[in-house]
Amino acid sequence: MDYWSHSFHVDDEFRKLVHRINPPRVTVDNTTDKKATLIKVDSANKRGSLLAVVQVLSDFNLIIRRAYIASDGEWFMDVFYVTDQYGHKLYEDNVAERIQQALGSWSRSFRSLERSVGVQSAAKHTTIELTGRDRPGLLSVLFAVLADHKCNIVAAEVWTHNSRMASVVYITDEESGLAITDPARLAHISKLLLYVLKGDRDRKGANTAVSVGSTHTGRRLHQLMYAARDYDEYDTDCVSVDRRKPLVAVERCVEKGYTVVTLRCPDRPKLIFDAVCTLTDMQYVVYHGTIKAEGPEAYQEYYIRHMDGCPISSEAEKLRVINCLEAAMKRRASTGVRLELCGDDRIGLLSDVTRIFRENGLSVSRAEVMTRGSQADSVFYVTDASGSQVITETIEAIQKQIGLTIVQVKDDYLNSAPQQTARKETQPVSVSA
């Protein structure tokens, strides 16, 4: 080992030691602010620390109303003003302990973020990751392939943006209920799924492969869409009006040697996670930041540098950051009518549901699928084939065919926290036994 390699190794080991000695410390304050709970996290600094904190808060379904970020040097301190998804302060006694435990788990499992698209085997399920060009009926055919090969979908999340589709699907073997581990069977399923993804127009962009490991679903979907270059313009047969275009500005702070990134767009849950995730995956470090999201619009300001310590130096790089952040803001805020489906789970249910969508001329712009015991609880955002709003008669027709309880939430473009309250007051279109 040469001198420089040895020095780098020693420095890396020292940083790990400092982080072990100084794990993230979480304090919760319910007295400072009348409307929000103050959560303060401080620790030895480490690459990805900010993302880890924001990711944990996001996974706990906490809404960040304000935040102040400082991580310049060997230490970071983040202050977040949060509420639950209904706008209430947090009063659970173990909030700090749960957040600190989650951050500790992240610290122990932190690894390189660069992974290939693929299939991962875990103790309870197998994870399939897919990317390709979006088109009407694509999700229906993909789910049909899995059903035909005796795969039960226990959970899934699907994003579409700018004519691209990314999906993370969790499956088990239909007979055993366990993860599928047979390499030959997985290779055959992957081959068929890739054939569907490619279709007639996506010979190079479609991807599905086999790899080992697990990851955060939202994080992985951002990575898949970024790898598919959904921030570039694509030819599309469907033209829709985008009413959620965010405003992104990138400027130089010459006196401090930073690049200042500001974002303005309609607020929604997980918006801050989406921005921080994208900056991290683009190899930028956030040194300071201010976040305000106490009204219908969210404002975010980040002082960043590239991992090599340099600010953004070219117009091409500046434009790329703007395009990537705009894409990240829009991926999760899919257009369409929100349909919530709940009922008894069964093998092939999702294949049947998405087939009915396809047969009625609907396209799925985003989906979240979850099974809890014997119950299936799924959310689909649907449009017609041209990307326009779906008429009520079509929704009533598919409800009769599906035979599940359907709650319709119209014009749910932002999926924002206030709509959670409205959701409780929304009546089902109709109910089937």
Side-chain angles (χ1 to χ4, degrees), residues 333-338 340 366 381 389 409-416 419:
S334 299
T335 59
V337 173
R338 173 180 169 124
E340 300 177 6
R366 187 159 70 89
Y381 292 79
Q389 197 77 344
V409 183
K410 293 184 178 180
D411 295 324
D412 189 5
Y413 282 88
L414 303 180
N415 192 23
S416 59
Q419 290 170 333

Side-chain angles (χ1 to χ4, degrees), residues 266-339:
D267 190 27
R268 60 168 174 77
K270 304 183 188 294
L271 183 68
I272 297 163
F273 167 80
D274 295 337
V276 173
C277 178
T278 299
L279 289 171
T280 303
D281 283 342
M282 294 183 71
Q283 308 298 306
Y284 293 103
V285 178
V286 176
Y287 290 87
H288 301 279
T290 301
I291 294 161
K292 297 179 181 179
E294 296 177 296
E297 183 180 74
Y299 171 83
Q300 303 177 55
E301 179 182 73
Y302 302 105
Y303 287 74
I304 69 170
R305 295 189 187 119
H306 197 268
M307 278 189 60
D308 60 10
C310 297
I312 294 175
S313 58
S314 70
E315 284 299 316
E317 184 181 5
K318 173 182 174 180
L319 182 60
R320 183 165 172 267
V321 170
I322 291 174
N323 290 340
C324 289
L325 285 172
E326 284 182 353
M329 298 297 98
K330 295 191 292 184
R331 289 169 189 151
R332 202 190 296 266
S334 299
T335 59
V337 173
R338 173 180 169 124
L339 298 181

